[in-house]
Amino acid sequence: MEFSYYPGCSLESSAKEYNQSAMAVAKALGITLNEIEDWVCCGATSAHSTNHKLSYALPAINISLAQNAGNDIVVPCASCYSRLKKTDLLLRNNPEERKEIEDIADFNYEGKLEIVSVLELFAKKLPKEELKSKVKKNLSGLKLACYYGCLTVRPPEICFENPENPDSMDTVMKAIGAEPVRWSYKTECCGASLSLTATGTVNKMVARIVDMAAEAGANAIVTACPLCQMNLEVRRNESNSNMPVFYFTELIALALGIPECKDWFAKHIVDPRQLLKSLSLI
Amino acid sequence: MQSNQAVGNTSSLIEEIIDKSGQPIELCFQCQKCAAGCSMGRFTDYSPNQIIRLIQHGLIDKVLDSNMIWLCSSCEICGARCPNGINMAEVMDCLKAMAISKNIVSVKNVKKFHDSFLGSVKLNGRVHEATMMMTYKIKTMDLFSDIDLGMKMFVKGKLHILPKRTKDRARLSRVFTRTANKQK
Ligand code: SF4
Ligand code: SF4
């Protein structure tokens, strides 16, 4: 399988370990990810909050760059995924706006590519047994609260599974031997980009999520979004929990025996190494 | 902005918002499913259904002055659950644009954050987290919060001194020029 790959800005900086783990896992599973040459920022919340056209024109540039290669686009960041997927749907279904965006971004939309989240890639596109058969270390004993957040599941038209009760991450975590817990905060909002602007509010939202994960018996949370991961680590002042927060790709890498995962774990603000050691996983 | 009076023609206001947001707000029957699930409702002056009610009464000043339109996290829970297919996240975006064009920004930090973020994109093609955060902090004169966090991230190699820039900045600047001042 070969895809174009859109890392997005966070994955070059604060969420490096998500980028590196997604690429390493793909490679180990025989999936080729080619980074889109000269990609631009998707505009994220700031573009759609203040400038409707810009919020579609920026992702459109990236779609146009990927059209040349002709492969579907894999996106790890939930926010980038949402912007690219929404743009693709608009260009596909709204001829009037398509014309306008094409003129703004100087390209012709072909509509041949699919926008795929990294979660969907490993959970749905990859044949079921493929991942299981490559597991070197079962992550048994690791009780996980799989946290999906908002932007891979909503709006429902961009979601590849049940938006109210997604289970793709749970399935992947089970395949590598971990034990997902049942909890009802899977798709709550972490406060997203309000983290910097309404920090007190976000502290409250995050504490509730972390505490609910603890109450459900989890010893770690696992995410597929750089903003969720960051907020859950750094905006939990109102919780007493020191529960680590992983990217789901890091845990797959651990199970596949990819040695670099130790470097990624060292980058976390909430250090997960003690937990992993206590379970004899590192 | 304390006016409680309906401003202008209510039905043309509703039409304008339907047109700009693409959301059928005229269908709202106040079931409050959006409010029940709203991620931010605990922290805001109005709930999403109340915002619609205010629009239906033509009380646009109250709407544009509300902190809800800026504190909406775009979690899209409201849209996923509304029985009438109204996505309030889209309506909130449209209302923010109206507020900006009228120069009424009730939660200034949020607007300053978006400006800092898009400023970085305009300059580099990509967001440079370190300078974006610094710009935001200078704009809001909030220089000292999160310093510890910034240091930790820097030590862990998560913040870079120099931005990564896209090469085709001519195309980028055309896109910014062509979308400037376009509403809807
Ligand atoms: S869920 Fe929809 S119909 Fe019900 S109050 Fe909210 S916007 Fe109105
Ligand atoms: S998108 Fe905004 S209005 Fe809708 S539920 Fe989320 S925070 Fe509330």
PDB file of all heavy atoms in Angstrom, chain A residues 13-14 195-196 230 233-235 267 269, chain B residues 128-134 137 142-161:
ATOM      1  N   SER A  13       6.755  19.535  15.371  1.00  0.00           N
ATOM      2  CA  SER A  13       7.269  20.223  16.551  1.00  0.00           C
ATOM      3  C   SER A  13       6.779  19.554  17.842  1.00  0.00           C
ATOM      4  O   SER A  13       7.376  18.586  18.297  1.00  0.00           O
ATOM      5  CB  SER A  13       6.845  21.686  16.407  1.00  0.00           C
ATOM      6  OG  SER A  13       7.171  22.443  17.493  1.00  0.00           O
ATOM      7  N   SER A  14       5.665  20.029  18.395  1.00  0.00           N
ATOM      8  CA  SER A  14       5.248  19.514  19.706  1.00  0.00           C
ATOM      9  C   SER A  14       4.846  18.041  19.671  1.00  0.00           C
ATOM     10  O   SER A  14       4.881  17.366  20.682  1.00  0.00           O
ATOM     11  CB  SER A  14       4.111  20.361  20.264  1.00  0.00           C
ATOM     12  OG  SER A  14       3.059  20.416  19.340  1.00  0.00           O
ATOM     13  N   SER A 195      -6.990  26.002  24.783  1.00  0.00           N
ATOM     14  CA  SER A 195      -5.986  25.715  25.798  1.00  0.00           C
ATOM     15  C   SER A 195      -5.152  26.942  26.176  1.00  0.00           C
ATOM     16  O   SER A 195      -4.808  27.142  27.330  1.00  0.00           O
ATOM     17  CB  SER A 195      -5.073  24.613  25.265  1.00  0.00           C
ATOM     18  OG  SER A 195      -4.143  24.242  26.223  1.00  0.00           O
ATOM     19  N   LEU A 196      -4.825  27.763  25.190  1.00  0.00           N
ATOM     20  CA  LEU A 196      -4.019  28.951  25.457  1.00  0.00           C
ATOM     21  C   LEU A 196      -4.870  30.151  25.858  1.00  0.00           C
ATOM     22  O   LEU A 196      -4.409  31.036  26.557  1.00  0.00           O
ATOM     23  CB  LEU A 196      -3.225  29.346  24.202  1.00  0.00           C
ATOM     24  CG  LEU A 196      -1.879  28.691  23.941  1.00  0.00           C
ATOM     25  CD1 LEU A 196      -1.278  29.261  22.664  1.00  0.00           C
ATOM     26  CD2 LEU A 196      -0.916  28.921  25.098  1.00  0.00           C
ATOM     27  N   MET A 230      -1.609  16.700  23.958  1.00  0.00           N
ATOM     28  CA  MET A 230      -0.950  17.805  24.660  1.00  0.00           C
ATOM     29  C   MET A 230      -1.843  18.330  25.781  1.00  0.00           C
ATOM     30  O   MET A 230      -1.395  18.465  26.924  1.00  0.00           O
ATOM     31  CB  MET A 230      -0.657  18.909  23.628  1.00  0.00           C
ATOM     32  CG  MET A 230      -0.173  20.185  24.211  1.00  0.00           C
ATOM     33  SD  MET A 230       1.508  20.028  24.745  1.00  0.00           S
ATOM     34  CE  MET A 230       2.313  20.912  23.514  1.00  0.00           C
ATOM     35  N   GLU A 233      -2.042  16.067  28.746  1.00  0.00           N
ATOM     36  CA  GLU A 233      -0.817  16.033  29.552  1.00  0.00           C
ATOM     37  C   GLU A 233      -0.620  17.305  30.367  1.00  0.00           C
ATOM     38  O   GLU A 233      -0.278  17.244  31.536  1.00  0.00           O
ATOM     39  CB  GLU A 233       0.420  15.828  28.658  1.00  0.00           C
ATOM     40  CG  GLU A 233       0.683  14.386  28.281  1.00  0.00           C
ATOM     41  CD  GLU A 233       2.107  14.169  27.768  1.00  0.00           C
ATOM     42  OE1 GLU A 233       2.745  15.137  27.316  1.00  0.00           O
ATOM     43  OE2 GLU A 233       2.572  13.018  27.800  1.00  0.00           O
ATOM     44  N   VAL A 234      -0.840  18.461  29.738  1.00  0.00           N
ATOM     45  CA  VAL A 234      -0.396  19.697  30.398  1.00  0.00           C
ATOM     46  C   VAL A 234      -1.498  20.533  31.038  1.00  0.00           C
ATOM     47  O   VAL A 234      -1.212  21.503  31.723  1.00  0.00           O
ATOM     48  CB  VAL A 234       0.425  20.595  29.434  1.00  0.00           C
ATOM     49  CG1 VAL A 234       1.526  19.792  28.764  1.00  0.00           C
ATOM     50  CG2 VAL A 234      -0.450  21.279  28.402  1.00  0.00           C
ATOM     51  N   ARG A 235      -2.757  20.192  30.820  1.00  0.00           N
ATOM     52  CA  ARG A 235      -3.841  20.991  31.415  1.00  0.00           C
ATOM     53  C   ARG A 235      -4.613  20.215  32.473  1.00  0.00           C
ATOM     54  O   ARG A 235      -5.809  20.332  32.602  1.00  0.00           O
ATOM     55  CB  ARG A 235      -4.810  21.462  30.309  1.00  0.00           C
ATOM     56  CG  ARG A 235      -4.203  22.404  29.302  1.00  0.00           C
ATOM     57  CD  ARG A 235      -3.788  23.731  29.918  1.00  0.00           C
ATOM     58  NE  ARG A 235      -3.246  24.652  28.930  1.00  0.00           N
ATOM     59  CZ  ARG A 235      -2.171  25.419  29.144  1.00  0.00           C
ATOM     60  NH1 ARG A 235      -1.518  25.344  30.286  1.00  0.00           N
ATOM     61  NH2 ARG A 235      -1.737  26.238  28.217  1.00  0.00           N
ATOM     62  N   LYS A 267      10.146  11.898  25.470  1.00  0.00           N
ATOM     63  CA  LYS A 267       9.711  13.252  25.106  1.00  0.00           C
ATOM     64  C   LYS A 267       8.429  13.687  25.818  1.00  0.00           C
ATOM     65  O   LYS A 267       8.049  14.850  25.766  1.00  0.00           O
ATOM     66  CB  LYS A 267       9.466  13.322  23.593  1.00  0.00           C
ATOM     67  CG  LYS A 267      10.748  13.374  22.768  1.00  0.00           C
ATOM     68  CD  LYS A 267      10.421  13.722  21.328  1.00  0.00           C
ATOM     69  CE  LYS A 267      11.655  13.773  20.459  1.00  0.00           C
ATOM     70  NZ  LYS A 267      12.627  14.788  20.889  1.00  0.00           N
ATOM     71  N   ILE A 269       5.644  14.909  28.387  1.00  0.00           N
ATOM     72  CA  ILE A 269       5.642  15.803  29.553  1.00  0.00           C
ATOM     73  C   ILE A 269       5.239  14.992  30.800  1.00  0.00           C
ATOM     74  O   ILE A 269       5.774  15.203  31.878  1.00  0.00           O
ATOM     75  CB  ILE A 269       4.671  16.998  29.334  1.00  0.00           C
ATOM     76  CG1 ILE A 269       5.014  17.756  28.041  1.00  0.00           C
ATOM     77  CG2 ILE A 269       4.640  17.922  30.549  1.00  0.00           C
ATOM     78  CD1 ILE A 269       6.234  18.641  28.076  1.00  0.00           C
TER      79      ILE A 269
ATOM     80  N   HIS B 128       4.799  28.112  13.104  1.00  0.00           N
ATOM     81  CA  HIS B 128       5.994  27.926  13.912  1.00  0.00           C
ATOM     82  C   HIS B 128       5.558  28.134  15.352  1.00  0.00           C
ATOM     83  O   HIS B 128       5.303  29.261  15.790  1.00  0.00           O
ATOM     84  CB  HIS B 128       7.067  28.937  13.483  1.00  0.00           C
ATOM     85  CG  HIS B 128       8.331  28.795  14.263  1.00  0.00           C
ATOM     86  ND1 HIS B 128       8.913  29.822  14.943  1.00  0.00           N
ATOM     87  CD2 HIS B 128       9.115  27.708  14.486  1.00  0.00           C
ATOM     88  CE1 HIS B 128      10.008  29.388  15.554  1.00  0.00           C
ATOM     89  NE2 HIS B 128      10.149  28.117  15.291  1.00  0.00           N
ATOM     90  N   GLU B 129       5.413  27.018  16.088  1.00  0.00           N
ATOM     91  CA  GLU B 129       4.749  27.072  17.399  1.00  0.00           C
ATOM     92  C   GLU B 129       5.422  28.065  18.356  1.00  0.00           C
ATOM     93  O   GLU B 129       4.743  28.809  19.048  1.00  0.00           O
ATOM     94  CB  GLU B 129       4.682  25.665  18.022  1.00  0.00           C
ATOM     95  CG  GLU B 129       3.675  24.778  17.300  1.00  0.00           C
ATOM     96  CD  GLU B 129       3.633  23.337  17.826  1.00  0.00           C
ATOM     97  OE1 GLU B 129       4.616  22.903  18.450  1.00  0.00           O
ATOM     98  OE2 GLU B 129       2.620  22.663  17.598  1.00  0.00           O
ATOM     99  N   ALA B 130       6.754  28.086  18.371  1.00  0.00           N
ATOM    100  CA  ALA B 130       7.455  28.939  19.343  1.00  0.00           C
ATOM    101  C   ALA B 130       7.148  30.418  19.100  1.00  0.00           C
ATOM    102  O   ALA B 130       6.728  31.134  20.014  1.00  0.00           O
ATOM    103  CB  ALA B 130       8.953  28.684  19.289  1.00  0.00           C
ATOM    104  N   THR B 131       7.316  30.897  17.862  1.00  0.00           N
ATOM    105  CA  THR B 131       7.071  32.334  17.634  1.00  0.00           C
ATOM    106  C   THR B 131       5.580  32.648  17.665  1.00  0.00           C
ATOM    107  O   THR B 131       5.185  33.736  18.084  1.00  0.00           O
ATOM    108  CB  THR B 131       7.662  32.823  16.291  1.00  0.00           C
ATOM    109  OG1 THR B 131       7.262  31.938  15.270  1.00  0.00           O
ATOM    110  CG2 THR B 131       9.153  32.930  16.344  1.00  0.00           C
ATOM    111  N   MET B 132       4.751  31.681  17.239  1.00  0.00           N
ATOM    112  CA  MET B 132       3.304  31.924  17.289  1.00  0.00           C
ATOM    113  C   MET B 132       2.871  32.173  18.729  1.00  0.00           C
ATOM    114  O   MET B 132       2.145  33.106  19.039  1.00  0.00           O
ATOM    115  CB  MET B 132       2.576  30.718  16.688  1.00  0.00           C
ATOM    116  CG  MET B 132       1.076  30.858  16.580  1.00  0.00           C
ATOM    117  SD  MET B 132       0.192  30.343  18.058  1.00  0.00           S
ATOM    118  CE  MET B 132       0.313  28.559  17.935  1.00  0.00           C
ATOM    119  N   MET B 133       3.383  31.342  19.653  1.00  0.00           N
ATOM    120  CA  MET B 133       2.991  31.506  21.051  1.00  0.00           C
ATOM    121  C   MET B 133       3.542  32.803  21.624  1.00  0.00           C
ATOM    122  O   MET B 133       2.874  33.486  22.389  1.00  0.00           O
ATOM    123  CB  MET B 133       3.437  30.305  21.878  1.00  0.00           C
ATOM    124  CG  MET B 133       2.530  29.111  21.620  1.00  0.00           C
ATOM    125  SD  MET B 133       2.716  27.841  22.858  1.00  0.00           S
ATOM    126  CE  MET B 133       3.820  26.710  22.099  1.00  0.00           C
ATOM    127  N   MET B 134       4.762  33.147  21.195  1.00  0.00           N
ATOM    128  CA  MET B 134       5.340  34.389  21.698  1.00  0.00           C
ATOM    129  C   MET B 134       4.536  35.587  21.204  1.00  0.00           C
ATOM    130  O   MET B 134       4.228  36.507  21.963  1.00  0.00           O
ATOM    131  CB  MET B 134       6.792  34.519  21.246  1.00  0.00           C
ATOM    132  CG  MET B 134       7.725  34.421  22.421  1.00  0.00           C
ATOM    133  SD  MET B 134       9.263  33.576  22.089  1.00  0.00           S
ATOM    134  CE  MET B 134       9.922  34.305  20.658  1.00  0.00           C
ATOM    135  N   LYS B 137       1.435  35.871  23.180  1.00  0.00           N
ATOM    136  CA  LYS B 137       1.668  36.342  24.550  1.00  0.00           C
ATOM    137  C   LYS B 137       1.946  37.839  24.566  1.00  0.00           C
ATOM    138  O   LYS B 137       1.530  38.543  25.487  1.00  0.00           O
ATOM    139  CB  LYS B 137       2.803  35.558  25.202  1.00  0.00           C
ATOM    140  CG  LYS B 137       2.436  34.085  25.332  1.00  0.00           C
ATOM    141  CD  LYS B 137       3.045  33.428  26.531  1.00  0.00           C
ATOM    142  CE  LYS B 137       2.286  32.175  26.907  1.00  0.00           C
ATOM    143  NZ  LYS B 137       1.037  32.469  27.599  1.00  0.00           N
ATOM    144  N   ASP B 142       0.406  38.713  28.272  1.00  0.00           N
ATOM    145  CA  ASP B 142       0.387  37.647  29.273  1.00  0.00           C
ATOM    146  C   ASP B 142       1.704  36.893  29.077  1.00  0.00           C
ATOM    147  O   ASP B 142       1.768  35.866  28.440  1.00  0.00           O
ATOM    148  CB  ASP B 142      -0.826  36.740  29.008  1.00  0.00           C
ATOM    149  CG  ASP B 142      -0.746  35.454  29.805  1.00  0.00           C
ATOM    150  OD1 ASP B 142      -0.074  35.442  30.850  1.00  0.00           O
ATOM    151  OD2 ASP B 142      -1.359  34.462  29.362  1.00  0.00           O
ATOM    152  N   LEU B 143       2.770  37.489  29.595  1.00  0.00           N
ATOM    153  CA  LEU B 143       4.089  36.991  29.207  1.00  0.00           C
ATOM    154  C   LEU B 143       4.560  35.801  30.031  1.00  0.00           C
ATOM    155  O   LEU B 143       5.434  35.060  29.626  1.00  0.00           O
ATOM    156  CB  LEU B 143       5.120  38.117  29.306  1.00  0.00           C
ATOM    157  CG  LEU B 143       4.828  39.309  28.385  1.00  0.00           C
ATOM    158  CD1 LEU B 143       5.798  40.448  28.627  1.00  0.00           C
ATOM    159  CD2 LEU B 143       4.876  38.894  26.921  1.00  0.00           C
ATOM    160  N   PHE B 144       3.970  35.593  31.205  1.00  0.00           N
ATOM    161  CA  PHE B 144       4.613  34.647  32.111  1.00  0.00           C
ATOM    162  C   PHE B 144       3.916  33.307  32.300  1.00  0.00           C
ATOM    163  O   PHE B 144       4.505  32.380  32.814  1.00  0.00           O
ATOM    164  CB  PHE B 144       4.863  35.320  33.466  1.00  0.00           C
ATOM    165  CG  PHE B 144       5.732  36.545  33.311  1.00  0.00           C
ATOM    166  CD1 PHE B 144       5.214  37.810  33.493  1.00  0.00           C
ATOM    167  CD2 PHE B 144       7.045  36.405  32.921  1.00  0.00           C
ATOM    168  CE1 PHE B 144       6.009  38.934  33.306  1.00  0.00           C
ATOM    169  CE2 PHE B 144       7.850  37.527  32.728  1.00  0.00           C
ATOM    170  CZ  PHE B 144       7.332  38.796  32.917  1.00  0.00           C
ATOM    171  N   SER B 145       2.647  33.213  31.886  1.00  0.00           N
ATOM    172  CA  SER B 145       2.004  31.915  32.059  1.00  0.00           C
ATOM    173  C   SER B 145       2.665  30.919  31.107  1.00  0.00           C
ATOM    174  O   SER B 145       3.149  31.288  30.037  1.00  0.00           O
ATOM    175  CB  SER B 145       0.504  32.003  31.766  1.00  0.00           C
ATOM    176  OG  SER B 145       0.310  32.327  30.420  1.00  0.00           O
ATOM    177  N   ASP B 146       2.706  29.692  31.507  1.00  0.00           N
ATOM    178  CA  ASP B 146       3.219  28.612  30.662  1.00  0.00           C
ATOM    179  C   ASP B 146       4.712  28.687  30.362  1.00  0.00           C
ATOM    180  O   ASP B 146       5.206  27.991  29.488  1.00  0.00           O
ATOM    181  CB  ASP B 146       2.454  28.540  29.326  1.00  0.00           C
ATOM    182  CG  ASP B 146       1.089  27.898  29.497  1.00  0.00           C
ATOM    183  OD1 ASP B 146       0.909  27.157  30.482  1.00  0.00           O
ATOM    184  OD2 ASP B 146       0.219  28.128  28.651  1.00  0.00           O
ATOM    185  N   ILE B 147       5.447  29.532  31.080  1.00  0.00           N
ATOM    186  CA  ILE B 147       6.889  29.595  30.824  1.00  0.00           C
ATOM    187  C   ILE B 147       7.546  28.255  31.144  1.00  0.00           C
ATOM    188  O   ILE B 147       8.362  27.743  30.371  1.00  0.00           O
ATOM    189  CB  ILE B 147       7.535  30.736  31.647  1.00  0.00           C
ATOM    190  CG1 ILE B 147       7.236  32.048  30.927  1.00  0.00           C
ATOM    191  CG2 ILE B 147       9.041  30.525  31.800  1.00  0.00           C
ATOM    192  CD1 ILE B 147       8.191  33.152  31.237  1.00  0.00           C
ATOM    193  N   ASP B 148       7.137  27.654  32.264  1.00  0.00           N
ATOM    194  CA  ASP B 148       7.693  26.344  32.643  1.00  0.00           C
ATOM    195  C   ASP B 148       7.453  25.330  31.544  1.00  0.00           C
ATOM    196  O   ASP B 148       8.338  24.568  31.172  1.00  0.00           O
ATOM    197  CB  ASP B 148       6.961  25.791  33.883  1.00  0.00           C
ATOM    198  CG  ASP B 148       7.414  26.487  35.129  1.00  0.00           C
ATOM    199  OD1 ASP B 148       8.231  27.419  34.995  1.00  0.00           O
ATOM    200  OD2 ASP B 148       6.948  26.098  36.214  1.00  0.00           O
ATOM    201  N   LEU B 149       6.212  25.342  31.055  1.00  0.00           N
ATOM    202  CA  LEU B 149       5.835  24.385  30.025  1.00  0.00           C
ATOM    203  C   LEU B 149       6.681  24.600  28.769  1.00  0.00           C
ATOM    204  O   LEU B 149       7.217  23.658  28.186  1.00  0.00           O
ATOM    205  CB  LEU B 149       4.343  24.549  29.707  1.00  0.00           C
ATOM    206  CG  LEU B 149       3.819  23.684  28.575  1.00  0.00           C
ATOM    207  CD1 LEU B 149       4.007  22.206  28.906  1.00  0.00           C
ATOM    208  CD2 LEU B 149       2.334  23.988  28.327  1.00  0.00           C
ATOM    209  N   GLY B 150       6.825  25.868  28.370  1.00  0.00           N
ATOM    210  CA  GLY B 150       7.631  26.191  27.193  1.00  0.00           C
ATOM    211  C   GLY B 150       9.055  25.684  27.354  1.00  0.00           C
ATOM    212  O   GLY B 150       9.637  25.089  26.438  1.00  0.00           O
ATOM    213  N   MET B 151       9.620  25.861  28.557  1.00  0.00           N
ATOM    214  CA  MET B 151      10.986  25.408  28.811  1.00  0.00           C
ATOM    215  C   MET B 151      11.082  23.893  28.697  1.00  0.00           C
ATOM    216  O   MET B 151      11.982  23.346  28.076  1.00  0.00           O
ATOM    217  CB  MET B 151      11.445  25.852  30.211  1.00  0.00           C
ATOM    218  CG  MET B 151      11.861  27.310  30.309  1.00  0.00           C
ATOM    219  SD  MET B 151      12.993  27.825  29.017  1.00  0.00           S
ATOM    220  CE  MET B 151      14.449  26.881  29.478  1.00  0.00           C
ATOM    221  N   LYS B 152      10.089  23.212  29.313  1.00  0.00           N
ATOM    222  CA  LYS B 152      10.103  21.745  29.265  1.00  0.00           C
ATOM    223  C   LYS B 152      10.063  21.256  27.825  1.00  0.00           C
ATOM    224  O   LYS B 152      10.776  20.342  27.434  1.00  0.00           O
ATOM    225  CB  LYS B 152       8.870  21.194  29.998  1.00  0.00           C
ATOM    226  CG  LYS B 152       9.116  20.878  31.459  1.00  0.00           C
ATOM    227  CD  LYS B 152       7.935  20.118  32.037  1.00  0.00           C
ATOM    228  CE  LYS B 152       7.757  20.487  33.498  1.00  0.00           C
ATOM    229  NZ  LYS B 152       6.431  20.357  34.028  1.00  0.00           N
ATOM    230  N   MET B 153       9.178  21.893  27.034  1.00  0.00           N
ATOM    231  CA  MET B 153       9.039  21.469  25.643  1.00  0.00           C
ATOM    232  C   MET B 153      10.329  21.706  24.871  1.00  0.00           C
ATOM    233  O   MET B 153      10.743  20.901  24.051  1.00  0.00           O
ATOM    234  CB  MET B 153       7.878  22.204  24.977  1.00  0.00           C
ATOM    235  CG  MET B 153       6.537  21.702  25.469  1.00  0.00           C
ATOM    236  SD  MET B 153       5.166  22.675  24.829  1.00  0.00           S
ATOM    237  CE  MET B 153       5.281  22.303  23.094  1.00  0.00           C
ATOM    238  N   PHE B 154      10.953  22.836  25.182  1.00  0.00           N
ATOM    239  CA  PHE B 154      12.203  23.162  24.501  1.00  0.00           C
ATOM    240  C   PHE B 154      13.280  22.126  24.834  1.00  0.00           C
ATOM    241  O   PHE B 154      13.948  21.588  23.957  1.00  0.00           O
ATOM    242  CB  PHE B 154      12.641  24.569  24.911  1.00  0.00           C
ATOM    243  CG  PHE B 154      13.859  25.033  24.178  1.00  0.00           C
ATOM    244  CD1 PHE B 154      13.794  25.346  22.831  1.00  0.00           C
ATOM    245  CD2 PHE B 154      15.082  25.124  24.829  1.00  0.00           C
ATOM    246  CE1 PHE B 154      14.920  25.748  22.135  1.00  0.00           C
ATOM    247  CE2 PHE B 154      16.219  25.531  24.145  1.00  0.00           C
ATOM    248  CZ  PHE B 154      16.129  25.840  22.796  1.00  0.00           C
ATOM    249  N   VAL B 155      13.403  21.819  26.115  1.00  0.00           N
ATOM    250  CA  VAL B 155      14.414  20.850  26.559  1.00  0.00           C
ATOM    251  C   VAL B 155      14.155  19.478  25.914  1.00  0.00           C
ATOM    252  O   VAL B 155      15.073  18.753  25.563  1.00  0.00           O
ATOM    253  CB  VAL B 155      14.410  20.750  28.101  1.00  0.00           C
ATOM    254  CG1 VAL B 155      15.256  19.590  28.589  1.00  0.00           C
ATOM    255  CG2 VAL B 155      14.912  22.054  28.693  1.00  0.00           C
ATOM    256  N   LYS B 156      12.890  19.136  25.742  1.00  0.00           N
ATOM    257  CA  LYS B 156      12.563  17.842  25.156  1.00  0.00           C
ATOM    258  C   LYS B 156      12.605  17.861  23.625  1.00  0.00           C
ATOM    259  O   LYS B 156      12.178  16.918  22.961  1.00  0.00           O
ATOM    260  CB  LYS B 156      11.191  17.379  25.653  1.00  0.00           C
ATOM    261  CG  LYS B 156      11.233  16.984  27.127  1.00  0.00           C
ATOM    262  CD  LYS B 156       9.950  16.390  27.623  1.00  0.00           C
ATOM    263  CE  LYS B 156      10.046  16.007  29.083  1.00  0.00           C
ATOM    264  NZ  LYS B 156      10.614  14.688  29.338  1.00  0.00           N
ATOM    265  N   GLY B 157      13.072  18.948  23.082  1.00  0.00           N
ATOM    266  CA  GLY B 157      13.232  19.023  21.629  1.00  0.00           C
ATOM    267  C   GLY B 157      11.918  19.180  20.887  1.00  0.00           C
ATOM    268  O   GLY B 157      11.795  18.815  19.722  1.00  0.00           O
ATOM    269  N   LYS B 158      10.899  19.741  21.573  1.00  0.00           N
ATOM    270  CA  LYS B 158       9.597  19.864  20.926  1.00  0.00           C
ATOM    271  C   LYS B 158       9.325  21.265  20.387  1.00  0.00           C
ATOM    272  O   LYS B 158       8.280  21.508  19.801  1.00  0.00           O
ATOM    273  CB  LYS B 158       8.490  19.506  21.927  1.00  0.00           C
ATOM    274  CG  LYS B 158       8.440  18.019  22.219  1.00  0.00           C
ATOM    275  CD  LYS B 158       7.424  17.726  23.287  1.00  0.00           C
ATOM    276  CE  LYS B 158       7.006  16.277  23.210  1.00  0.00           C
ATOM    277  NZ  LYS B 158       5.578  16.116  23.130  1.00  0.00           N
ATOM    278  N   LEU B 159      10.219  22.206  20.669  1.00  0.00           N
ATOM    279  CA  LEU B 159      10.058  23.537  20.096  1.00  0.00           C
ATOM    280  C   LEU B 159      11.344  23.876  19.349  1.00  0.00           C
ATOM    281  O   LEU B 159      12.436  23.658  19.841  1.00  0.00           O
ATOM    282  CB  LEU B 159       9.821  24.585  21.192  1.00  0.00           C
ATOM    283  CG  LEU B 159       8.446  24.609  21.873  1.00  0.00           C
ATOM    284  CD1 LEU B 159       8.409  25.694  22.942  1.00  0.00           C
ATOM    285  CD2 LEU B 159       7.320  24.828  20.876  1.00  0.00           C
ATOM    286  N   HIS B 160      11.184  24.416  18.157  1.00  0.00           N
ATOM    287  CA  HIS B 160      12.368  24.751  17.374  1.00  0.00           C
ATOM    288  C   HIS B 160      12.575  26.256  17.359  1.00  0.00           C
ATOM    289  O   HIS B 160      11.626  27.016  17.379  1.00  0.00           O
ATOM    290  CB  HIS B 160      12.189  24.281  15.930  1.00  0.00           C
ATOM    291  CG  HIS B 160      11.986  22.812  15.842  1.00  0.00           C
ATOM    292  ND1 HIS B 160      13.022  21.922  15.793  1.00  0.00           N
ATOM    293  CD2 HIS B 160      10.858  22.077  15.847  1.00  0.00           C
ATOM    294  CE1 HIS B 160      12.541  20.692  15.752  1.00  0.00           C
ATOM    295  NE2 HIS B 160      11.222  20.752  15.781  1.00  0.00           N
ATOM    296  N   ILE B 161      13.836  26.649  17.279  1.00  0.00           N
ATOM    297  CA  ILE B 161      14.139  28.075  17.216  1.00  0.00           C
ATOM    298  C   ILE B 161      13.736  28.623  15.841  1.00  0.00           C
ATOM    299  O   ILE B 161      13.122  29.668  15.735  1.00  0.00           O
ATOM    300  CB  ILE B 161      15.654  28.317  17.420  1.00  0.00           C
ATOM    301  CG1 ILE B 161      16.117  27.634  18.711  1.00  0.00           C
ATOM    302  CG2 ILE B 161      15.966  29.801  17.384  1.00  0.00           C
ATOM    303  CD1 ILE B 161      16.060  28.448  19.942  1.00  0.00           C
TER     304      ILE B 161
END
